Amino acid sequence: MDFLQNNLIYCIPALGLVGIIVMMIKSAWVNKQDAGDQNMQELAGYIADGAMAFLKAEWRVLSIFAVFTAALLAYSGTITEIKGVPMHSSWIISISFIIGAVFSATAGYIGMKSATKANVRTTQAARTSLKQALKVSFTGGTVMGLGVAGLAVLGLGGLFIVFLQVFHVTSANSTEMRTAIEVLTGFSLGAESIALFARVGGGIYTKAADVGADLVGKVEAGIPEDDVRNPATIADNVGDNVGDVAGMGADLFGSYVATILATMVLGQEITVTDKFGGMSPILLPMVICGLGILFSIVGTWFVTIKDDKSNVQTALNLGNWSSILITAIASFFIVKWMLPETLNLRGYEFSSINVFYAIIVGLVVGTIMSIVTEYFTAMGKGPVNSIIQQSSTGHATNIIAGLAVGMKSTVIPILVLAGGIMLSYHFAGLYGVAIAAAGMMATTAMQLAIDAFGPIADNAGGIAEMSQLPPEVRERTDNLDAVGNTTAATGKGFAIASAALTSLALFAAFVGIAGITAIDIYKAPVLAGLFVGGMIPFIFSALCIQAVGKAAMDMVQEVRRQFREIPGIMEYKAKPEYEKCVAISTKASIREMMMPGAIALITPIIVGFTFGPEVLGGLLAGVTVTGVLMGIFQSNAGGAWDNAKKSFEQGVMINGEMHYKKSEPHKASVTGDTVGDPFKDTSGPSMNILIKLMSIVSLVIAPYIAVKAIASEHKLEVRKEIRIEQKTDSLGHIITDTLTNTTDTLSR
């Protein structure tokens, strides 16, 4: 036990390394599976090549951004003081930023590579059984989940150890420790910056292709989804990988890192006497998330079914809940072992057992969010059925029903989040809110495995359709795909919930570093900042949706041109020019992702340096509230529209009459799905990165704007302390009673 206490900090990156090793083993297993016939492999090759081409184009642009930003951070790190106030940073923050950006891009690459290997192998496995198809697709998703979580824990834990040595940290509450953690924020900034562009760019790519393929292929030409004759079908399948896999991987990598970091920043403010040199509140979130990788690996063992009649969703839920339960049990022993009996943060005193309760709150919030999202987006449930029923009266009523479902779906999640925030704060103050988010994120490896399974199953169905395999193969892949739509929606719900708690933790850290004690919305500038912050998610969403519309128009024109100018496509006598559609999506996504990204990065800097930390705090509050609402609304509405459309493939009962594909209600559902595509895969999921990235940028600039606030504030606050000095004689009688007034002048 003494050895573990003395070397706990080194166990953290080791846990990340374990995740990466298991990831490599599972990746090797996927690669050994049968990839099908030559035609299937050729189609899968087109998808893999298109995904890689997009990533390379995206990386070329982002490398310029990364170098420029790193240079600015390096310069800011050389500033030692401003107006007599010391700065606790270093030029090394630029290196931390670059490493975070590289790790984030690598996380997305691992997921994309795994998905493009697993998709065709899932199709081939579906020729034998649903059980084998689930095993291949879920293992492919597990590769991504373990890769993302492993890289995050390895990167954070490893850099933390390095920075402790570089800055000669001697105690947990020292100036050197503050510098080490502040430099570590560069890692999170790099991760979230790349995640934003990966998510927005990938989302624009996938939905431009999807909308273009649907409008011309299904609606105009009347050919099935993923038909090999559709020139946009390869770009559509590529989009599933670059958006829902690479984008989501980078997204949750950023969430994972930001959550741990925010808890570490708050933990550094807590002075404790423990067995770890006073570092237990700082190390706790890394330990919990590191062990969460192991618990997620255990959870994957439960994801299996018996035969084609088994419920795939139940198997995935069993794996998810088992990993959450193990994490909850283990957290009790970890907290009791690591933390002292009492802790105090900013005057709020709490016990170690209360920290455990806060972790449980985070796990419960994450679980409820997943369940609620599943209810609002799953086939056969009331919300999706309501959209189906209203499809019978046309396209407009389908749209109205989907919007209503999305808006209603915000109620329970927001109440759950509000309750979670209040409970976790009640148990352990601001540290409780942060550690609740860390508890929620502990099973990220499992959550991502379930999430990445969906796009792999979607691609598998596409390859089955393009290869014209027997109907039973497509039935099995459709079964997986329908569940995958729901798991993708629940994954986005989980990501948004984690982003909300993470942003609050980052917000609390920002307030502490910026030197402000309260944000008074009665002040006109702060209230103005609140309104501007509330507006930003709307303009951000508008730019994302508009980008999809523009790119989709280009895609529609290209698909129409090929149908018109290349004779023999519809008769299977000529091969479409898939690469031209891939190029359209790639160029459009790279071009259109820049403006939304610039808004997230530049707005906090302009507001912070112009108006100060309190107005910036108002801006962050507005962004967080409307960002969470917009994210839940758009993701759930899009997911419900999608599964309403898919329900017609199995047949639905409307007013006592069965309706199938190509019926009028089905055509209305296709319109709803097309509208919902940018909602659920572009603007909706990007909301959680938006609110986190703006909070992280604010945290990085907090020391500089705090100086400005202190220097420019003329009102002074006076604190009076009364010290009573008493002396007693040998008999215990009081012989003096002196009152001493001490006045300290503090800058607000």
Side-chain angles (χ1 to χ4, degrees):
M1 188 61 73
D2 289 339
F3 175 82
L4 189 58
Q5 288 177 13
N6 296 332
N7 296 279
L8 181 65
I9 193 169
Y10 301 105
C11 295
I12 293 166
L15 290 168
L17 198 57
V18 168
I20 292 173
I21 291 170
V22 176
M23 173 209 77
M24 294 169 67
I25 294 170
K26 289 187 175 292
S27 178
W29 181 86
V30 171
N31 291 340
K32 289 179 182 177
Q33 303 308 301
D34 187 1
D37 57 39
Q38 187 63 36
N39 184 41
M40 292 166 60
Q41 292 183 40
E42 182 182 358
L43 292 167
Y46 287 142
I47 296 170
D49 291 344
M52 200 64 237
F54 168 78
L55 283 186
K56 286 179 179 177
E58 185 179 55
W59 288 345
R60 279 195 295 270
V61 174
L62 293 184
S63 61
I64 299 170
F65 158 78
V67 170
F68 177 74
T69 306
L72 288 177
L73 288 171
Y75 169 73
S76 69
T78 61
I79 301 172
T80 56
E81 65 174 45
I82 297 178
K83 294 183 180 179
V85 180
M87 295 289 100
H88 303 288
S89 189
S90 165
W91 66 269
I92 298 174
I93 192 172
S94 62
I95 297 175
S96 183
F97 171 83
I98 291 291
I99 294 173
V102 170
F103 272 42
S104 181
T106 303
Y109 172 78
I110 288 172
M112 188 276 296
K113 201 71 175 175
S114 168
T116 53
K117 291 283 186 183
N119 55 12
V120 68
R121 288 163 173 79
T122 300
T123 307
Q124 180 64 15
R127 301 177 84 160
T128 57
S129 68
L130 181 65
K131 178 180 180 178
Q132 187 63 17
L134 172 62
K135 185 176 182 181
V136 174
S137 57
F138 182 71
T139 304
T142 303
V143 171
M144 175 181 169
L146 291 175
V148 167
L151 278 175
V153 173
L154 176 64
L156 261 182
L159 280 178
F160 186 59
I161 292 170
V162 171
F163 293 158
L164 290 182
Q165 300 298 318
V166 169
F167 299 110
H168 308 292
V169 177
T170 55
S171 66
N173 303 105
S174 63
T175 301
E176 292 81 10
M177 175 63 84
R178 182 174 176 181
T179 302
I181 293 180
E182 191 159 317
V183 170
L184 199 58
T185 60
F187 184 81
S188 182
L189 179 62
E192 286 290 2
S193 299
I194 298 302
L196 178 69
F197 289 112
R199 180 51 114 173
V200 173
I204 294 170
Y205 185 112
T206 182
K207 291 305 107 180
D210 196 3
V211 171
D214 285 355
L215 287 178
V216 183
K218 288 195 291 188
V219 177
E220 294 182 9
I223 58 179
E225 185 173 2
D226 295 318
D227 194 296
V228 71
R229 295 170 291 179
N230 192 329
T233 192
I234 293 295
D236 185 8
N237 282 277
V238 169
D240 292 333
N241 293 287
V242 300
D244 288 343
V245 179
M248 177 60 93
D251 177 357
L252 280 189
F253 179 87
S255 290
Y256 203 61
V257 170
T259 301
I260 298 172
L261 182 70
T263 315
M264 291 172 70
V265 171
L266 292 171
Q268 194 264 334
E269 294 184 35
I270 303 174
T271 303
V272 295
T273 302
D274 57 24
K275 297 167 283 190
F276 307 96
M279 289 204 298
S280 56
I282 300 172
L283 296 176
L284 182 64
M286 288 193 285
V287 172
I288 289 175
C289 289
L291 290 173
I293 295 175
L294 303 184
F295 304 147
S296 295
I297 292 171
V298 173
T300 62
W301 300 343
F302 294 93
V303 181
T304 184
I305 56 175
K306 292 182 179 179
D307 50 42
D308 282 20
K309 295 181 180 178
S310 300
N311 191 313
V312 175
Q313 184 71 61
T314 301
L316 293 171
N317 288 344
L318 182 61
N320 188 25
W321 293 337
S322 61
S323 61
I324 290 172
L325 183 61
I326 297 170
T327 302
I329 295 170
S331 294
F332 173 79
F333 298 101
I334 296 166
V335 168
K336 294 298 288 183
W337 175 59
M338 289 186 65
L339 296 181
E341 191 59 37
T342 58
L343 303 93
N344 189 298
L345 175 62
R346 300 181 188 175
Y348 196 99
E349 190 168 297
F350 51 94
S351 65
S352 59
I353 193 66
N354 282 359
V355 173
F356 166 70
Y357 294 150
I359 293 171
I360 296 301
V361 168
L363 289 168
V364 170
V365 167
T367 303
I368 294 176
M369 289 290 286
S370 295
I371 292 171
V372 171
T373 306
E374 179 184 337
Y375 170 75
F376 277 99
T377 58
M379 292 171 64
K381 305 291 186 182
V384 170
N385 285 339
S386 71
I387 298 174
I388 292 169
Q389 296 299 316
Q390 292 186 59
S391 298
S392 63
T393 49
H395 302 248
T397 48
N398 173 281
I399 300 297
I400 291 169
L403 291 173
V405 165
M407 290 177 183
K408 285 194 295 184
S409 73
T410 63
V411 177
I412 298 176
I414 291 299
L415 292 177
V416 169
L417 275 174
I421 292 165
M422 292 173 67
L423 267 178
S424 57
Y425 184 88
H426 168 74
F427 287 130
L430 293 171
Y431 188 77
V433 176
I435 204 69
M440 183 190 299
M441 295 300 295
T443 58
T444 290
M446 186 67 191
Q447 295 290 341
L448 261 177
I450 294 172
D451 192 75
F453 146 84
I456 292 172
D458 194 358
N459 265 203
I463 293 171
E465 181 69 41
M466 289 186 281
S467 303
Q468 298 178 313
L469 296 181
E472 64 270 15
V473 177
R474 187 67 208 240
E475 286 175 13
R476 290 172 182 141
T477 58
D478 280 350
N479 187 333
L480 295 176
D481 187 21
V483 175
N485 276 335
T486 304
T487 60
T490 55
K492 287 160 191 164
F494 173 84
I496 292 167
S498 68
L501 289 182
T502 301
S503 295
L504 283 173
L506 290 167
F507 186 78
F510 160 76
V511 167
I513 293 175
I516 53 178
T517 56
I519 296 172
D520 186 359
I521 63 170
Y522 187 68
K523 296 178 181 177
V526 178
L527 188 60
L530 186 70
F531 272 94
V532 172
M535 169 273 295
I536 286 175
F538 287 88
I539 186 63
F540 186 93
S541 293
L543 289 171
C544 291
I545 294 170
Q546 179 179 285
V548 171
K550 286 181 181 178
M553 287 174 64
D554 294 340
M555 188 68 70
V556 166
Q557 296 300 329
E558 175 60 24
V559 175
R560 285 173 176 168
R561 182 197 68 79
Q562 292 197 33
F563 279 147
R564 184 175 62 251
E565 296 180 6
I566 303 176
I569 286 183
M570 297 302 289
E571 294 79 26
Y572 299 99
K573 294 178 181 178
K575 184 179 289 187
E577 296 172 342
Y578 301 122
E579 67 281 357
K580 291 193 175 180
C581 291
V582 169
I584 287 173
S585 269
T586 301
K587 290 176 183 176
S589 58
I590 299 298
R591 181 183 68 244
E592 300 292 343
M593 74 180 183
M594 303 310 295
M595 184 57 73
I599 288 174
L601 287 164
I602 296 173
T603 304
I605 296 174
I606 294 174
V607 172
F609 281 100
T610 305
F611 300 103
E614 196 172 353
V615 176
L616 178 54
L619 180 91
L620 294 178
V623 167
T624 302
V625 171
T626 55
V628 170
L629 284 166
M630 287 284 284
I632 295 171
F633 156 60
Q634 293 184 87
S635 294
N636 289 350
W641 267 318
D642 194 351
N643 271 342
K645 178 205 70 175
K646 275 194 164 45
S647 299
F648 283 93
E649 295 168 4
Q650 301 174 4
V652 296
M653 180 76 71
I654 302 177
N655 298 327
E657 183 181 351
M658 289 298 295
H659 293 269
Y660 298 91
K661 289 177 70 172
K662 299 186 179 181
S663 64
E664 288 304 314
H666 174 251
K667 291 178 182 177
S669 74
V670 171
T671 300
D673 177 44
T674 305
V675 172
D677 274 339
F679 272 38
K680 71 180 176 66
D681 289 324
T682 309
S683 58
S686 299
M687 288 295 104
N688 57 323
I689 311 179
L690 171 71
I691 61 178
K692 286 180 300 174
L693 183 56
M694 291 185 69
S695 295
I696 291 169
V697 171
S698 302
L699 186 61
V700 171
I701 67 171
Y704 306 96
I705 61 176
V707 173
K708 185 179 189 306
I710 291 170
S712 62
E713 181 61 70
H714 298 294
K715 292 182 181 179
L716 298 177
E717 188 176 311
V718 177
R719 183 180 75 230
K720 291 184 179 179
E721 294 180 354
I722 299 176
R723 187 171 73 249
I724 302 175
E725 296 179 353
Q726 295 179 337
K727 295 181 181 180
T728 58
D729 59 17
S730 59
L731 298 175
H733 299 126
I734 297 173
I735 56 175
T736 62
D737 190 353
T738 305
L739 299 182
T740 303
N741 290 333
T742 303
T743 304
D744 290 337
T745 303
L746 302 175
S747 296
R748 289 183 61 193

